[in-house]
Every structure is written in C-alpha cells, then in structure tokens.
Amino acid sequence: MHLLQAQHHTRRAFLKRSGQLALTGTALPLALNLAAMGEAAAFDATDYKALVCVFLYGGNDYANTVVTYDDPSYNLYSAIRGGGVGQTAGGIALAKADLAATLLNPAVAPVDVLGQARQYALHPSMSGVANLFNTGHAAVQLNVGPLVVPLTRAQYSNSNRALYPRPPQLFSHNDQQSIWQSSSPEGSKVGWGGNIGDLALSGNSNSLFTCMSVTGNAVFLSGDTALQYQVSTTGAIKIRPATDATVYGSSAVRGALNSLIQQTRPQKLENEYNRVTQRAINAEGSVTAALALTPPATVFPTDNFAQQLKMVARLIKGQATLGATRQVFFVSLGGFDLHDNLVGQQSALMGRVSAAMTAFYDATVEMGVANKVTAFTASDFGRTLASNGDGSDHGWGSHHLVVGGAVNGRAFYGTPPPVSVTNTAAPEDQWHVGQGRLLPSTAVDQYAATLAKWFGVADGELTGILPNLGHFGGTGYPVNLGFMP
C-alpha cells in the first residue's frame, strides 16, 4: 500500500457532487463555497464528542518541549546542546534548575530501550499543561511522526525504497505538514480529520458544522464529502452586504439584494449559485445564534491563538444550536521554525500554547464537557537534538501532548528515545537518523487511530481513514496506543 494511494471508505453512501456544482463552487467566495453534503453511513452518536487539532507550524523542537530530566540523560542532553546550568554562550540546552517547577510525575516511570527509567519535565513556560499532566488530564505521546511502514535505522538507510518506503519529502515543511494532516504530500485534498468527519456527517442534524476551522484553510479538515466550515476568532464569516442591516443606508435595497441572490432561477448554474448562497447566509445565522449564548466565564489570554481556542469553546457550548453531536476542529500557531534564537523565541511560543490549552481545558470543565472534548498537538516534524549554534534544524519524530477529561493521563506512551546523536550500532543510537533527528517509533496513523476510535470510528473503518495503518498493529506498533479509553 503506497502513501499516495487513493483512500477508500467503507460503510458509506456518499452523494457524488455534480460537475456543475463543482464548477459553481470554484467561482464563489470562500464563505459561499459550500458544496452539497452527502450522506455518510452509519455513525450513530447519541452523545457529544469533539476532537481539536492544535497544529504548531514550523516544526516544534521536541527536546526543549518534553525535556529529559533524570541525571544521566540530562547530562547527555546538556553536553549535546551546549548549555545546561549557567547556560554557556550559544547553548540551547535549558538549565535543569529551571525545569523543577514543570517536572512531570507519571504514575509509572517510562523506560527506554536500554531498560533505564526516565524522567521528563515540560518547557519551563508550560506550567499549566504540566499541572494538567500531574493531575491526570494530559498525557505525552513520545516519538511520533509520519511512517509508511515500521522502520529501523538500518531499513531507513537501505536503498530499497520499495521494500522500506519512507514518507516522501522528509524534512520539507509544506510536505510534512500535509503528510501529518493527510498522509500525502503537499497538494493532498483529503485529510484524516475530514475523513473522520465524513463518517460523522449523518449523525449531525446540520452536517455543515461537523468540521470547523478557526485558522483558515487546512487539508486536515477536508474529507471526501465533509468540507470545513471556517470561522474567525470573532465569529462567522459574513456574506456582505447581504447580511448587513442596510445597503447604501436602505433596508429596501438590502431586501432587494437578498431576494436577487437567493431566489430560484431557471438557469441551472445560476440557480445552484443562489441555493448555495442561501445556505451560506443561513449557516452564518446559525453560527451567530450559537455564539449568542452566554460564553464560558473562563478567562482566556488575549493573543490570537488563545482566541482561536476560545472560539472553539464557544462553538462547543452552542453545539445543540448548531445541530452537531460530533465535531472536529482545527486551530494553529506558527513561528516554530527556530534555526536561530531557539531558547528565546520558543519560550514565548510554548507559554502561549500552555496558557491557551489550559484555559480551554478549564472551559470544558466549566461547561461540563471535559470528558467529551480531546485536544491534541501536531507539528511538521521535530528537530535535531544537535545544536546548529543558536537553534536546531529540521527533524522527523517528535513528542506530542493530548489533553482532556477522557485522556488516560499522568502517563507517557511510546518508547523514550535515548539521548544520542552518534551513528553506531549501539542500541541507544538506533532511534535517530543523524544529529538526533528522531526516527519515529510511533506512526501518525497509530496516533490518529487512537483518537478516531475514541471519537466513535469502528475498527473496520480505520484503514479507510488512515491508508498506512494496515502496515502497523504488530509487535511494538499497536493500533490503539492506550492514551484514550
């Protein structure tokens, strides 16, 4: 099964979009580009659940996010990154004394491939998420990244790409962003969040609000039938001037315009254009009505990323008004391509991530849906453990966070990678491909499958959503990673 293969879905009865409608859609503004929603097959949901993908654009540095803390490992990390206690000039290691407040205390210590118990702390600016972890509401998935098949370092180095395929365009931002979100390189039109949405459409009385983005277009939310509905941090994207109170100061002109752009027409394409326009106006009205509910009292930071998550919280509170029992959301934060000034810039970024995700979790508790909402991080790739002098370069595997009331928290999942950048046959050097670029020991498909199963996707539907999942499931590569019930 090749990474670029067509993705097939089971238990579905999709309505095909007509060529005329597709043609019409390409000519419409974004808010009007609402193609007809087909009927998904059985995905019977009587309760509410939501997945929230938090994408960190640019490739977040894993080693300074989930930081090795036990003395032997920390000493290696400090030596490799050129810093540590006292921070040598140009070093990118974090001082151990600064990590004490964000030390993670799992119920069971993670054990690496050498049989050594390990300790970790989060970045010093992530005290909020560290507290969520230590109180059982967050988990860490170690060393996860795109894989087509399970790979050892020897297999990665083997020239037989047919037998040991790699994800294409490794270390390329655009391609790896797309592969994380869709299992295919840049140009992919379907993502696994959208594919999950495909299955959930028929369970929502208004299928348009199944997949929602608060950060612009993302392939993650595009399904074979499900399309993402985009909102801003202030609300629905309006069709103006049709939704204004007046046009040129006149309510009569507004009424006439609304009639013209929504009335039935004899010409098929023109009529379809007006029908989609009417649906877009109605959708904006539904979102506005949902957001009119009293918002959660939880105080969010004022930066744009936090406001994205605040909007998700408000939409979740209004899910009954939106007619949704299953929803997939997408938010994002950029700026993680830190070849330079890693220590200085990542601190602010991780502080924003932690504060926003903590406030979001608190809002779900306030609304009584903490067990129904799971947020998880993703990023282009991890970065090199080795320093380039003032930062780190493009990598592969990374560590990620899962937050929510249903999460089997206060735990690490996956195998801790030893701290090393050398290339020998020693066991500690088998889980990187040079410079401490982690060779993933867990595939994105496994990570996604674990989230999808909690959401309600049946075992038989998983490979239709995640095309490479069929290559996993053997020893050391479980389909369900265990961080969700």
Side-chain angles (χ1 to χ4, degrees), residues 174-190:
N174 292 348
D175 290 289
Q176 295 311 303
Q177 290 163 9
S178 181
I179 288 172
W180 249 99
Q181 297 179 35
S182 72
S183 300
S184 296
E186 185 179 18
S188 175
K189 300 185 184 304
V190 178

Side-chain angles (χ1 to χ4, degrees), residues 54 65-66 101-105 121-140 305 309 350-362 375 377 400-404 410:
V54 176
T65 299
V66 182
T102 52
L103 180 63
L104 301 180
N105 298 300
L122 292 185
H123 190 284
S125 65
M126 300 189 73
S127 57
V129 173
N131 182 64
L132 289 179
F133 180 98
N134 289 332
T135 54
H137 307 306
V140 173
F305 174 67
L309 281 172
M350 299 318 297
R352 290 171 65 185
V353 170
S354 180
M357 292 187 74
T358 302
F360 179 72
Y361 174 78
D362 290 344
T377 63
H400 285 287
L401 303 166
V402 187
V403 174
R410 203 179 157 211

Side-chain angles (χ1 to χ4, degrees), residues 336-349:
F336 290 90
D337 192 21
L338 296 176
H339 296 275
D340 302 294
N341 195 18
L342 170 65
V343 172
Q345 293 191 50
Q346 193 193 25
S347 180
L349 291 168

Side-chain angles (χ1 to χ4, degrees), residues 27 192 331 357 485:
W192 56 268
V331 300
M357 292 187 74

Side-chain angles (χ1 to χ4, degrees), residues 240-243 247 251-263:
R240 303 188 65 186
T243 54
V247 176
S251 58
V253 173
R254 175 187 179 276
L257 177 63
N258 267 324
S259 177
L260 285 171
I261 64 176
Q262 296 183 69
Q263 66 187 205

Side-chain angles (χ1 to χ4, degrees), residues 203-271:
N204 292 336
S205 59
N206 193 333
S207 60
L208 183 59
F209 303 122
T210 303
C211 296
M212 302 190 74
S213 172
V214 198
T215 186
N217 189 52
V219 69
F220 175 76
L221 289 180
S222 295
D224 287 319
T225 302
L227 296 180
Q228 57 194 293
Y229 185 89
Q230 297 179 29
V231 300
S232 72
T233 56
T234 57
I237 300 171
K238 296 184 178 183
I239 298 176
R240 303 188 65 186
T243 54
D244 291 342
T246 62
V247 176
Y248 301 123
S250 168
S251 58
V253 173
R254 175 187 179 276
L257 177 63
N258 267 324
S259 177
L260 285 171
I261 64 176
Q262 296 183 69
Q263 66 187 205
T264 302
R265 298 297 185 94
Q267 209 282 333
K268 186 171 290 187
L269 287 177
E270 190 177 24
N271 188 61

